[in-house]
């Protein structure tokens, strides 16, 4: 077994810090946990070989505190940093600082993070590489007259998006020319307030698409592969709730076609590490919206249907190894579904911080639970409310749904409210059973 690094620092918390720790241990790599003073009793700290407290509870003072994390690397002698998702995972400045300290970032180059972080540059870059994009302005909108011209060309409804945005912040729809001035001004004001940058662009508004993303991987030798798609259409307020792979609406031919377009683009770009190319999918067509330059929360469903450990692969390519397999050896098998279990009221989604009294995760055939929770653990109020992920896999979608139904009956969490009951409700719904949903489905269902 190849080690790749002697010691890796994990710059994250919760289930993803544990997930990275597990991959490191299996590779014979020592781990360093970092944590805030609110996370002294956290599972990722208990399991790591060493731990360093990097600051007070607020993320900006601890998990986002770059000097503290660099110091923790120097004190412990860690050679590489895995950022997980969120926090510093898509921070190009952090990557530059690591490089200046001779530390390896387990992820892409700062240049690629920067390109994809600017949504106009990202769209222009991938479009030139042959990826289909949503019709819209080429580059930024200069003023209202420019907006009018573009909107008339592509036809209403149109969407105004912030170039520094992503995740839906600062988006405004104009259904007709009379809406345009208001939408344009509002989008710019919101973009300025949220990101300190009022650069906006325009796209044709797709009214009822699915959100389908392709997992890609590149190495430092110019190789790239794709690992199929994930359907992440079931979401509420830009937070994914349930994801599945494969998508109920994509067949093998479509997967191969969009997958090859994606991996060829990634190879030409020289992109290194794990990445996700996000598309809207409507009327049989894919339209690029954004690229994420990190490991994603929902990566386990891809691991299951491909039988590839994405975190080990990240570590291996960061150390300079070639991708462990070629595209023709990537086989997609069965079906996987992930449910995000949050400490929230299942109807109002109000966060429910506090102490977990009972914790009995589901298990048995076809069940994986990625979580850092345990009985007696107190969920701190400072971070996101995800307690863990229930991941279920079956031979096909129906088998997977049956196993999910059974696993949800087994899972018991007491002491805090959780979103577990929501998934039981969803499974009883005919549209869910048939895979018949789009990005608006869940919000409409919850409004009834
Ligand atoms: C869109 C769209 C419709 N048409 N772009 C929202 C988050 C950001 N990543 C992109 N988003 C959207 N862009 C065009 N041209 C609809 C959305 C959208 C959405 C996309 C993916 C998943 C959930 C969503 C929820 C609402 C809106």
């Amino acid at each position: 077994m190849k080690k790749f690094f002697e010691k890796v620092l994990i710059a994250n918390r919760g289930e993803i810090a544990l997930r990275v720790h597990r991959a490191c241990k299996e590779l014979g790599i020592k781990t360093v946990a970092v944590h805030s003073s609110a996370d002294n009793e956290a599972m990722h700290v208990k399991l790591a070989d060493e731990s360093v407290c990097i600051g007070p509870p607020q993320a900006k003072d601890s998990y986002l505190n770059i000097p503290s994390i660099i110091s923790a690397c120097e004190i412990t002698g860690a050679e590489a940093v895995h950022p997980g998702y969120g926090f510093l995972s898509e921070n190009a400045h952090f990557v530059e600082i690591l490089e200046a300290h001779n530390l390896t970032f387990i992820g892409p180059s700062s240049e690629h993070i920067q390109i994809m972080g600017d949504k106009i540059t990202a769209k222009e870059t991938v479009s030139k590489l042959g990826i289909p994009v949503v019709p819209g302005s080429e580059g930024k909108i200069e003023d209202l007259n420019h907006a009018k011209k573009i909107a008339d060309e592509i036809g209403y409804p149109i969407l105004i998006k912030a170039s520094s945005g992503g995740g839906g912040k600062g988006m405004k729809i104009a259904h007709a020319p009379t809406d345009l001035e208001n939408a344009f001004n509002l989008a710019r004001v919101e973009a300025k307030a949220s990101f300190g940058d009022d650069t906006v662009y325009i796209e044709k508004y797709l009214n009822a698409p699915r959100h389908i993303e392709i997992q890609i991987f590149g190495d430092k030798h110019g190789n790239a592969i794709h690992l199929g798609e994930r359907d992440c259409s079931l979401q509420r307020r830009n937070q994914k709730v349930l994801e599945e792979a494969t998508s109920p609406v994509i067949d093998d031919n479509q997967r191969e076609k969009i997958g090859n377009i994606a991996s060829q683009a990634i190879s030409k770009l020289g992109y290194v590490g794990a990445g996700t190319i996000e598309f809207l999918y409507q009327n049989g067509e894919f339209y690029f919206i954004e690229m994420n330059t990190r490991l994603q929360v929902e990566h386990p469903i891809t691991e299951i249907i491909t039988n590839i450990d994405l975190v080990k692969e990240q570590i291996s390519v960061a150390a300079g190894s070639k991708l462990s397999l070629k595209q023709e050896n990537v086989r997609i098998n069965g079906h996987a579904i992930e449910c995000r279990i949050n400490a929230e009221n299942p109807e109002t989604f109000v966060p429910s911080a506090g102490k977990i009294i009972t914790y009995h995760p589901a298990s048995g055939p076809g069940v994986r639970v990625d979580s850092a929770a345990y009985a007696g653990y107190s969920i701190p109020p400072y971070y996101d409310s995800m307690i863990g992920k229930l991941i279920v896999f079956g031979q096909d979608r129906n088998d997977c749904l049956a196993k999910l139904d059974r696993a949800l009956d087994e899972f018991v969490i007491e002491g805090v409210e959780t979103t577990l009951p929501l998934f039981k409700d969803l499974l009883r719904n005919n549209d869910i059973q048939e895979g018949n949903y789009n990005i608006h489905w869940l919000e409409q269902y919850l409004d009834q």
Side-chain angles (χ1 to χ4, degrees), residues 134 159 161 168 171 203-204 206 211 235 238 280 290 439:
V134 189
L159 194 55
K161 294 184 171 183
M171 288 185 359
E203 282 183 350
K204 178 84 186 169
L206 303 178
H211 171 129
Q235 60 84 40
N238 294 305
L280 298 178
E290 288 170 27
I439 61 169

Side-chain angles (χ1 to χ4, degrees), residues 163-326:
S163 191
S164 297
K169 249 194 183 169
M171 288 185 359
K172 290 284 168 261
I173 304 176
H175 291 281
T178 48
D179 297 339
L180 189 67
E181 183 167 1
N182 244 328
F184 180 67
N185 291 334
L186 263 177
R188 292 233 302 206
V189 167
E190 272 189 28
K192 186 79 187 171
S194 302
F195 315 109
D197 170 14
D198 66 0
T199 307
V200 297
Y201 62 109
I202 288 182
E203 282 183 350
K204 178 84 186 169
Y205 176 68
L206 303 178
N207 65 320
R210 297 178 79 113
H211 171 129
I212 297 181
E213 55 186 35
I214 308 285
Q215 177 71 52
I216 57 83
F217 239 105
D219 68 19
K220 294 181 179 175
H221 307 272
N223 305 302
I225 57 172
H226 75 86
L227 303 177
E229 80 283 3
R230 295 183 287 259
D231 196 320
C232 309
S233 302
L234 287 172
Q235 60 84 40
R236 177 183 175 272
R237 301 193 180 170
N238 294 305
Q239 293 291 324
K240 292 167 186 166
V241 172
L242 178 153
E243 306 96 345
E244 61 180 316
T246 56
S247 168
V249 298
I250 302 299
D251 65 26
D252 292 350
N253 286 330
Q254 288 169 293
R255 176 174 312 112
E256 191 179 325
K257 189 165 167 240
I258 194 69
N260 287 338
I261 290 171
S263 58
Q264 277 161 28
I266 282 313
S267 167
K268 276 187 247 169
L269 192 60
Y271 183 89
V272 176
T276 299
I277 307 187
E278 292 187 350
F279 293 94
L280 298 178
Y281 178 80
Q282 188 167 300
N283 300 328
E285 301 288 337
F286 285 94
Y287 304 93
F288 170 90
I289 45 171
E290 288 170 27
M291 177 167 175
N292 300 321
T293 55
R294 60 168 190 277
L295 184 74
Q296 295 205 218
V297 175
E298 60 273 24
H299 76 277
I301 59 175
T302 298
E303 300 194 303
I304 281 162
I305 63 159
T306 60
N307 198 28
I308 297 169
D309 186 315
L310 296 194
V311 182
K312 286 187 189 170
E313 201 67 27
Q314 284 187 297
I315 294 168
S316 151
V317 301
S321 297
K322 287 188 178 168
L323 284 170
S324 69
L325 73 177
K326 295 197 186 334

Side-chain angles (χ1 to χ4, degrees), residues 383-415:
Y383 315 106
D384 78 48
S385 61
M386 198 173 73
I387 306 175
K389 309 181 298 203
L390 169 60
I391 304 127
V392 172
F393 43 105
Q395 292 172 352
D396 54 32
R397 192 168 187 273
N398 281 336
D399 182 36
C400 192
L401 288 172
K403 286 191 160 83
L404 178 55
D405 198 26
R406 183 273 289 170
L408 286 166
D409 286 338
E410 289 181 18
F411 217 132
V412 181
I413 300 174
E414 287 171 334

